[in-house]
Each structure stands twice: as structure tokens, then as C-alpha cells.
Amino acid sequence: MNSPSSLLPASGRLGVLMPGLGAVATTFVAGVLAARQGLAYPAGSLTQASHIQLGTGTGSRSPLIRDFVPLADLNDLVFGGWDIFPDNLYDAARQANVLERPLLDQLQPELAAIRPMKAVFDPHYVRNLSGSWVKETTNKWEQVQDLMADIEHFSLVNQCQRLVMVWCASTERYHEPQPVHQSLAAFERGLRESDPAIAPSMLYAYAALKMRVPFAMGAPNLCVDIPALEELARLTGTPLGGKDFKTGQTLMKTIIAPGLRARALGVNGWFSTNILGNRDGLVLDAPENFQTKEVSKGRVLEGILDGEMSPELWGDIHHKVRIEYYPPHGDNKEGWDNIDIFGWLGYKMQIKVNFLCRDSILAAPVVLDLALFLDLAQRAGLSGVQEWLGFYWKSPQTVAGSLPVHDLFQQLNKLENMLRYLMGEEPMTNLDIRYSEAEPVEVDSETHS
């Protein structure tokens, strides 16, 4: 890891490229434009709205993160991306039906000026969607070359000094790592041979990393978490992170489960079901795509409530996850959780959660934070998997041999300590400075032997 003095300034324009200009991407772009004009406050974004504690005692300070760390300014962001539909971002936002029309109309000139580039698309990986705005070639090596040309053209036209890419497209079907994923040489050979095991998301990730563009994976499918792309990130010195934006029901789990663990309360079962009616819900209505999401959501509890360490409390949790496509709800996801817990002497209790959330409203600030933090990571000389960004993921990607952290509060502490390190500040711990500076208590070894 580089020293704090190597952090480069956030000067010039930062281009934010997004595969998938649907509900999440349009909500993100519209929100940034609204914040620029003072039409809305960027709630939900750590980079814009959260404070960070520095120092202890009377010398402590709590600046806003955006005032503490040299992040790209919102006014320096420019937006682009790819989609299988040709709609500009104003029309796409109206189709997504997340934001109210009066706000969109105020932002119409800027949103309408952003049009998608033709996308790489393979119906084998997302069978419930189809679109006409796709690249003509089906050869994967040629598709990658087209994507890299798109990236270069976007950067030149928009006079970008730096770029980041955040995947905002649909969840691809579940598939396991194959030999083609195990090394960069095998992967590049597979591109030339159009190996069917190379998914569209991997093409975008390869193109980005090849051009030293940091990449964030917003969906739960297999993508940058393969040895081939991790190898490419190391070779090009490019940061990456994934996977699956932590919003909605899983966000609640990473808040509630650490509390149950902290109080040593047992859990017999955790039943979760969601209903949503947006394009994401339509995609997940296919069993092979739902399996990808199910695996991602299911790992969270195992990472927080360790059944091997405390089998008496969490050794036999019946954890079930369901997602139902329900068009009348649109982007307004509703999540129900029934949690069967037990306490002193094994007496049973229940927790019921009904979370009526807005999926894209929760995801949009995650896209912003990841774009700004990955840009920061690159300017700091960091490369490869950025574990400190696990705060934003359902299935945090880790370096080989490292276990993911799922506890939201431990993740936040890790993120904040990285920011403190980059700025030359001391990391924060839970040890109160008054006790750490107290004189050690002398113990009579004979009395306590």
C-alpha cells in the first residue's frame, strides 16, 4: 500500500460509465443533477452527507467525508453508458417510473442529451429481456474492441481526465467458474474463440480493466470475481470491487443480525420474501437468474451469525429467500422478514419486518459513492480488489485467502479507517483513550495463581 503522500488531486472531469441505463442509472444521474442545482439533498450517500470522526478527546473533529477526502466534485462528473434500448436518459427515467415527473421535467435538457451506446447483449444470460440497440458483431473479441473504442470516444468527446465504470445492468444467469476464467491467457483465448462461458458483464469488465478504468460490479452474477480479471487488474494497476449492491432487505439483515449477535440471542429461522415489479423483477422471474441472486443474499447471515463458532445459538438456522415479480409495485420493492429467535432458557420470540423501500432510491447513492471511492483508490495508487468497499456489497469480493466481512458496522469502520490512512490520520478503535492511558493494574501473581 502506498503512503498517503502519493494521493493525486481530483482535478478535471470524471466520466462515470454504466452498462445498463435503466432505473438505477437514471435515478443516480438525475439525483446528481438535482443536487448540483440545489433541487434535492443527496441523502443516503456517505461521500456527500456523512461525517467522519478524527482524533480523540478534546482534539477530535468530525468533518464531512467530502470535506476530508479529495473526492471528485459533483460538478465534475459526466455520464454515459450502454443499453439494449435506444432511449435517452429522460425517456428511460420516465419509463422506469421511479422519480416524479415535475423533477424530471426540470432536468429534461441534461437528461435528454445523454444517449446510450449500443450494448453487448446475450439472451442466454438474461432470457426475459430483449432489445434492438445491440452491437452487430457476436464475436466476443470484436465486442471487447468495440467497447474499448466506445470508452476512448466517450473520454475524448467529454474531455475526461479519468473514468470509472459501474455495472447497473440486470442480473445474469447463475453459472460456476470454468477453465476459461482461471487465467488471463485462458480468458483472452476464450474471447477470440467466443467461449460461451464468458458472460457480457465480463466483456465490459475486461474492456474497463484493460484501459485502466476502475470497475464496480453492481449485480450478483459471476464477473470480476474470477482469477483472470483479478490478474488483469493487478497487471494494469486498476481497482475493482463487487458484488451486488447492498440495498433493501439485505441492508436490513446486516443491521439487525449484528444486533442479535451482540446480545447473544439465538436464531432458529429467517424467512425473507420480496415483491417488486421493475425490470429487475422481470429478469429475476427466470429461475436461472433468481438463483444468482439467491446465492448472493443467502451468504449474508452465514457471515454474521457463525454457526460453527456458536452452534448453540446459530448452528441450525433455516434461512429461506424468495423474490416475486409483481408488476403493480414497479420499483417500490416490499420486503417481509419473519425472524424466529430465542433467548434466556430457550424461550422463543419473533421479529417481524415489513420494509416498503424504493429499490433505485437506495441503489443510486451507492453508485455515486462507489464511483467516487474507486476514483480515489486509483489516485491513491491502490489496485486489485478493494475490500474496504465491502460496505456497499451483499457479497463483498475479497483477495484470495481472506474471508468477507458482512457486519455493516464493521464494514463502515474498515472503510473509514482506510480514508483516515489515506489522509495520514490515526485509525479509530473502540478502546477509550482514557483507559488506554491509565496506569496498568498490578496483580499479585501468588494470590491469583
Side-chain angles (χ1 to χ4, degrees):
M1 184 176 293
N2 291 13
S3 64
S5 61
S6 66
L7 182 57
L8 300 175
S11 56
R13 287 185 163 191
L14 174 65
V16 183
L17 287 165
M18 293 158 287
L21 295 179
V24 171
T26 56
T27 304
F28 155 65
V29 175
V32 172
L33 297 178
R36 283 178 182 173
Q37 299 179 29
L39 300 176
Y41 183 74
S45 166
L46 265 67
T47 61
Q48 306 304 305
S50 287
H51 292 255
I52 182 170
Q53 184 180 346
L54 307 173
T56 56
T58 56
S60 65
R61 296 112 51 215
S62 297
L64 285 164
I65 287 177
R66 60 184 166 87
D67 292 334
F68 171 58
V69 183
L71 301 172
D73 189 272
L74 295 189
N75 291 307
D76 291 331
L77 301 185
V78 290
F79 311 101
W82 300 263
D83 203 88
I84 63 173
F85 302 104
D87 299 337
N88 64 56
L89 258 62
Y90 175 74
D91 292 336
R94 287 187 58 188
Q95 178 68 28
N97 199 29
V98 176
L99 302 176
E100 295 177 353
R101 182 71 178 273
L103 175 62
L104 287 177
D105 287 346
Q106 292 183 77
L107 305 171
Q108 181 176 2
E110 291 177 275
L111 288 172
I114 304 172
R115 296 180 176 274
M117 296 173 277
K118 287 187 176 182
V120 170
F121 182 70
D122 184 348
H124 172 72
Y125 283 92
V126 186
R127 68 176 170 91
N128 279 0
L129 289 184
S130 62
S132 59
W133 199 242
V134 297
K135 295 188 180 298
E136 288 76 13
T137 179
T138 57
N139 178 272
K140 294 185 178 182
W141 180 256
E142 293 177 6
Q143 288 176 334
V144 162
Q145 304 310 309
D146 284 352
L147 290 174
M148 290 194 289
D150 289 343
I151 294 169
E152 185 174 11
H153 178 73
F154 174 86
S155 182
L156 289 172
V157 168
N158 292 281
Q159 300 179 327
C160 297
Q161 278 66 48
R162 304 175 318 284
L163 298 168
V164 294
M165 188 182 295
V166 183
W167 177 271
C168 295
S170 299
T171 298
E172 294 171 339
R173 69 181 298 141
Y174 183 80
H175 64 130
E176 298 280 353
Q178 302 295 320
V180 72
H181 304 136
Q182 299 308 311
S183 71
L184 183 57
F187 189 87
E188 291 181 336
R189 185 168 57 252
L191 288 175
R192 291 184 171 88
E193 297 172 354
S194 287
D195 192 307
I198 298 179
S201 63
M202 296 175 181
L203 302 181
Y204 284 96
Y206 176 89
L209 297 173
K210 191 75 173 176
M211 299 186 72
R212 299 197 71 248
V213 175
F215 185 91
M217 186 58 199
N221 46 270
L222 190 70
C223 182
V224 286
D225 51 332
I226 59 174
L229 293 181
E230 291 182 357
E231 180 184 346
L232 178 59
R234 291 192 299 270
L235 286 173
T236 58
T238 309
L240 61 83
K243 60 184 181 178
D244 202 3
F245 297 146
K246 180 155 51 184
T247 59
Q249 194 170 63
T250 306
L251 175 63
M252 291 296 103
K253 284 183 179 177
T254 61
I255 293 172
I256 295 170
L260 298 176
R261 184 188 62 199
R263 286 297 304 268
L265 293 170
V267 178
N268 288 319
W270 199 311
F271 178 79
S272 302
T273 190
N274 300 265
I275 56 174
L276 75 161
N278 59 11
R279 194 181 297 172
D280 190 34
L282 175 62
V283 169
L284 294 175
D285 205 36
E288 65 271 24
N289 295 79
F290 169 71
Q291 185 181 2
T292 305
K293 178 69 75 170
E294 184 180 32
V295 171
S296 173
K297 291 167 74 72
R299 290 171 177 163
V300 171
L301 282 187
E302 298 172 5
I304 298 173
L305 305 177
D306 191 336
E308 291 187 6
M309 181 179 294
S310 299
E312 303 86 354
L313 297 174
W314 312 305
D316 190 25
I317 300 176
H318 188 77
H319 185 204
K320 183 170 287 190
V321 178
R322 291 287 181 267
I323 298 176
E324 302 292 340
Y325 178 50
Y326 182 63
H329 258 44
D331 196 69
N332 296 336
K333 181 190 290 185
E334 185 165 359
W336 296 304
D337 285 87
N338 175 82
I339 313 166
D340 289 288
I341 69 173
F342 61 91
W344 189 247
L345 304 179
Y347 277 75
K348 296 182 178 181
M349 298 170 280
Q350 284 189 331
I351 299 172
K352 307 283 189 181
V353 180
N354 185 14
F355 188 21
L356 290 86
C357 66
R358 296 174 181 264
D359 206 41
S360 297
I361 294 298
L362 291 170
V366 171
V367 177
L368 174 61
D369 286 357
L370 286 171
L372 297 184
F373 280 144
L374 282 174
D375 174 56
L376 173 72
Q378 186 158 54
R379 287 185 285 111
L382 307 178
S383 64
V385 179
Q386 303 300 299
E387 290 189 359
W388 60 283
L389 295 177
F391 179 82
Y392 296 103
W393 312 113
K394 289 187 183 77
S395 297
Q397 187 173 349
T398 62
V399 298
S402 178
L403 294 176
V405 174
H406 290 281
D407 183 320
L408 185 74
F409 308 100
Q410 291 181 11
Q411 291 173 335
L412 179 60
N413 184 61
K414 191 170 187 175
L415 185 153
E416 290 181 337
N417 274 337
M418 173 60 85
L419 299 182
R420 293 182 184 106
Y421 167 80
L422 292 176
M423 300 307 295
E425 294 279 344
E426 291 295 320
M428 295 290 292
T429 69
N430 293 324
L431 181 62
D432 192 306
I433 193 67
R434 291 170 298 174
Y435 296 110
S436 65
E437 290 184 345
E439 291 294 327
V441 178
E442 292 186 5
V443 179
D444 188 327
S445 58
E446 292 184 2
T447 304
H448 292 82
S449 60

